[in-house]
Amino acid sequence: EAGVTQSPTHLIKTRGQQATLRCSPISGHTSVYWYQQALGLGLQFLLWYDEGEERNRGNFPPRFSGRQFPNYSSELNVNALELEDSALYLCASSPRTVNTEAFFGQGTRLTVV
Amino acid sequence: AQTVTQSQPEMSVQEAETVTLSCTYDTSESDYYLFWYKQPPSRQMILVIRQEAYKQQNATENRFSVNFQKAAKSFSLKISDSQLGDAAMYFCAYRTPEAGSYQLTFGKGTKLSVIP
């Protein structure tokens, strides 16, 4: 069974541009979570999507947004990129039940220059 | 808001020896889940072990075990018989039992080195 897949693996953008990151969850998983892992800061929760709806967001500005498609895949969009947006962005997916675990992808390394 | 603190940015252990990674957390909830994740250089987060707060018994997974002290809000990870493949970043994480939510609060991590 395929795991969580993220694309692209690496992304280099210029300050002020927009970045789009993609995540395909494990088959049967309806929830997708996005985390930002900046150097030295651990993982910070960004967004949670379930059944096509945004369920919760972390303490990030509105230029971080996303969506979930009918097939449960998800996009994370970062507008007006700033240098401090450089980070590893990790996606995780889980089924919508309590007593399960989420599975992580290998992340997209975003570098803003 | 919940917080998770890992006070050891880096640790090292001799191969075959035992090491303990520390984690403390702060919450007003009585029911929650705690996790230890491993992140090797491949970057993929791998679940090592989980603990439900309502269970008094400490979780164990092969060479990995936890010491869960609910009153002290402490959740340490013990790795026995350390192997070279254990070298990685280790993150402690907290989750509320909200139905359907796997939103995690992470500590900043501990980098574990294993010395041959």
Side-chain angles (χ1 to χ4, degrees):
Chain A
E1 181 182 327
V4 178
T5 57
Q6 292 187 243
S7 63
T9 305
H10 294 88
L11 188 59
I12 300 175
K13 291 286 187 179
T14 303
R15 191 171 54 181
Q17 285 187 315
Q18 177 192 30
T20 298
L21 288 64
R22 296 179 176 84
C23 174
S24 293
I26 291 172
S27 177
H29 287 190
T30 61
S31 281
V32 170
Y33 307 83
W34 288 96
Y35 290 86
Q36 182 195 66
Q37 186 178 11
L39 194 63
L41 291 181
L43 282 82
Q44 305 287 320
F45 167 71
L46 257 171
L47 289 160
W48 169 29
Y49 290 97
D50 181 67
E51 299 280 0
E53 300 286 331
E54 181 181 303
R55 301 295 182 182
N56 201 9
R57 67 180 291 130
N59 188 26
F60 282 84
R63 55 191 189 81
F64 286 83
S65 65
R67 54 181 172 169
Q68 186 177 33
F69 299 98
N71 65 354
Y72 303 117
S73 66
S74 178
E75 274 183 0
L76 173 68
N77 296 294
V78 188
N79 295 319
L81 283 164
E82 300 178 2
L83 296 178
E84 52 264 35
D85 296 333
S86 295
L88 179 67
Y89 289 83
L90 289 165
C91 170
S93 75
S94 74
R96 206 175 191 282
T97 54
V98 164
N99 200 27
T100 58
E101 67 169 288
F103 294 86
F104 284 82
Q106 290 186 296
T108 294
R109 173 74 68 188
L110 173 63
T111 302
V112 183
V113 297
Chain B
Q2 296 85 13
T3 59
V4 177
T5 302
Q6 292 179 249
S7 59
Q8 307 152 315
E10 296 188 28
M11 293 278 287
S12 62
V13 62
Q14 206 78 32
E15 195 176 2
E17 296 296 310
T18 296
V19 65
T20 299
L21 308 184
S22 301
C23 172
T24 58
Y25 59 94
D26 188 26
T27 183
S28 58
E29 304 284 339
S30 60
D31 193 18
Y32 47 87
Y33 296 86
L34 296 166
F35 306 86
W36 278 98
Y37 278 89
K38 171 185 178 181
Q39 188 181 40
S42 66
R43 310 184 316 200
Q44 186 157 19
M45 299 287 283
I46 301 166
L47 178 65
V48 174
I49 199 165
R50 60 180 273 169
Q51 174 81 41
E52 290 88 346
Y54 64 87
K55 289 185 178 180
Q56 293 186 335
Q57 187 174 7
N58 290 325
T60 299
E61 288 287 342
N62 301 313
R63 298 182 294 107
F64 300 87
S65 61
V66 298
N67 183 5
F68 173 49
Q69 301 289 327
K70 190 172 184 180
K73 297 181 181 175
S74 170
F75 183 61
S76 61
L77 174 70
K78 185 172 82 171
I79 306 174
S80 304
D81 186 26
S82 296
Q83 300 175 0
L84 295 178
D86 295 333
M89 284 293 292
Y90 286 82
F91 292 94
C92 179
Y94 169 102
R95 192 197 114 189
T96 63
E98 178 189 347
S101 171
Y102 210 89
Q103 180 179 326
L104 298 168
T105 301
F106 285 89
K108 291 187 178 181
T110 296
K111 182 178 181 181
L112 179 66
S113 301
V114 180
I115 304 166

